[in-house]
Amino acid sequence: MGRDAGGRQVFDVTGAGDTVLSVLALAVAAGAAIADAAALANTAAGVVVGKLGTAHVTPKELAAALEEIRA
């Protein structure tokens, strides 16, 4: 998994920390290495801060963000 944080337009950081913690915990529980889990969590938070208000990231959005990083 790529480690490039990349730049994103930020609209609202509400819930970004919650997103990081939940995705990190889920990835580690699923057996991911901590570095990969952290990268996944950071990517998920990047999606969330690009939305207005309290938001969540869908699996489809997360997959698209990961593909964008790989490109």
Side-chain angles (χ1 to χ4, degrees), residues 24-56:
L24 182 71
L26 182 60
V28 169
I34 192 70
D36 290 335
L40 187 65
N42 187 58
T43 302
V47 173
V48 168
V49 300
K51 298 180 179 185
L52 290 174
T54 304
H56 66 280

Side-chain angles (χ1 to χ4, degrees), residues 2-66:
R3 303 288 192 265
D4 179 15
R8 290 202 177 269
Q9 189 169 7
V10 175
F11 290 103
D12 193 339
V13 296
T14 304
D18 295 336
T19 300
V20 168
L21 291 175
S22 61
V23 173
L24 182 71
L26 182 60
V28 169
I34 192 70
D36 290 335
L40 187 65
N42 187 58
T43 302
V47 173
V48 168
V49 300
K51 298 180 179 185
L52 290 174
T54 304
H56 66 280
V57 60
T58 66
K60 186 175 182 176
E61 290 170 327
L62 186 53
L66 291 169

